[in-house]
Amino acid sequence: FEAIRLTVAGAPPETRTLPYGRDARLFDVRVTVFDLDMLLVSAVDVTERERERASFEQAERELRTIFELTPSSVRIADVTGHFQSLND
């Protein structure tokens, strides 16, 4: 397991998102070494979070495409009336 090898070798702990199982669930895995005799491996199922993130990114791309390709002028302003985006 690469994350354990790197952490034991002195690399700082990092969280990696890894697929696991036949249904390809995604887990954030973090390895922390306390000393040569003890390490902690934590894994959190983040499958739904990652699916939601991917869905959000897809919707954002679709909205951006509509915004950029629409022949009408579209302007997005914040609550103070300052324009945040223009498609002109």
Side-chain angles (χ1 to χ4, degrees), residues 1 14-19 25-31 41-47 49-50:
F1 188 62
E14 65 179 57
T15 302
R16 295 183 183 201
T17 302
L18 303 171
R25 299 201 60 82
L26 297 172
F27 288 85
D28 276 354
V29 178
R30 183 176 182 94
V31 178
V41 179
S42 63
V44 177
D45 187 341
V46 295
T47 306
R49 181 191 75 191
E50 291 301 312

Side-chain angles (χ1 to χ4, degrees), residues 22-81:
R22 292 183 182 170
D23 61 350
R25 299 201 60 82
L26 297 172
F27 288 85
D28 276 354
V29 178
R30 183 176 182 94
V31 178
T32 304
V33 175
F34 293 101
D35 58 43
L36 292 178
D37 296 333
M38 186 186 317
L39 60 91
L40 170 68
V41 179
S42 63
V44 177
D45 187 341
V46 295
T47 306
E48 289 305 313
R49 181 191 75 191
E50 291 301 312
R51 285 181 185 154
E52 289 171 5
R53 182 189 57 75
S55 177
F56 175 80
E57 288 175 354
Q58 177 64 30
E60 187 176 36
R61 281 191 302 274
E62 290 169 1
L63 182 59
R64 173 65 48 197
T65 299
I66 292 168
F67 180 78
E68 291 173 352
L69 297 178
T70 188
S72 302
S73 177
V74 177
R75 296 178 178 142
I76 300 173
D78 62 18
V79 294
T80 65

